[in-house]
Amino acid sequence: YLQQYSFINMDVATVVTWRKFCNKLWNATAFCLHHVEKSEIKGYNIESVASLSLEEKWILLRLEECIMKCTAGLESIDLGAVTHSIREF
């Protein structure tokens, strides 16, 4: 990209939007970590998933797909794919 052009157009509004998005991720992570430390985490098994509603199962499926995409993106240092999968979730 840099070989084709001598400058990069940087939109300040886009930077501000991404800053707000990252701030939301930071706050959500801090909230979860605060509550996770106070409670005991128990894994889920087939019986507990079977009792969930269809919507809750769908959310867990989407979360699992997002985690797999983020892990693959972080391992290949493809931060664009990571942010895209988080935003898509």
Side-chain angles (χ1 to χ4, degrees):
Y1 180 77
L2 290 176
Q3 293 174 354
Q4 296 174 0
Y5 303 102
S6 61
F7 64 92
I8 298 174
N9 286 335
M10 187 173 89
D11 185 18
V12 175
T14 304
V15 173
V16 170
T17 301
W18 281 106
R19 180 184 167 271
K20 290 179 181 179
F21 175 70
C22 290
N23 190 29
K24 287 182 184 188
L25 284 178
W26 176 266
N27 288 334
T29 304
F31 176 81
C32 291
L33 289 176
H34 177 70
H35 284 58
V36 165
E37 291 174 356
K38 292 185 178 181
S39 64
E40 184 179 328
I41 302 174
K42 295 182 181 178
Y44 61 90
N45 53 26
I46 294 174
E47 291 82 23
S48 65
V49 173
S51 65
L52 296 175
S53 69
L54 181 62
E55 293 84 7
E56 291 170 324
K57 290 178 185 177
W58 180 78
I59 291 171
L60 284 177
L61 175 67
R62 294 286 311 270
L63 177 61
E64 188 175 346
E65 290 172 355
C66 180
I67 290 170
M68 289 190 303
K69 288 178 184 177
C70 287
T71 302
L74 289 172
E75 288 174 351
S76 64
I77 311 173
D78 186 4
L79 299 180
V82 174
T83 55
H84 178 71
S85 63
I86 292 172
R87 290 184 74 203
E88 192 176 59
F89 174 72

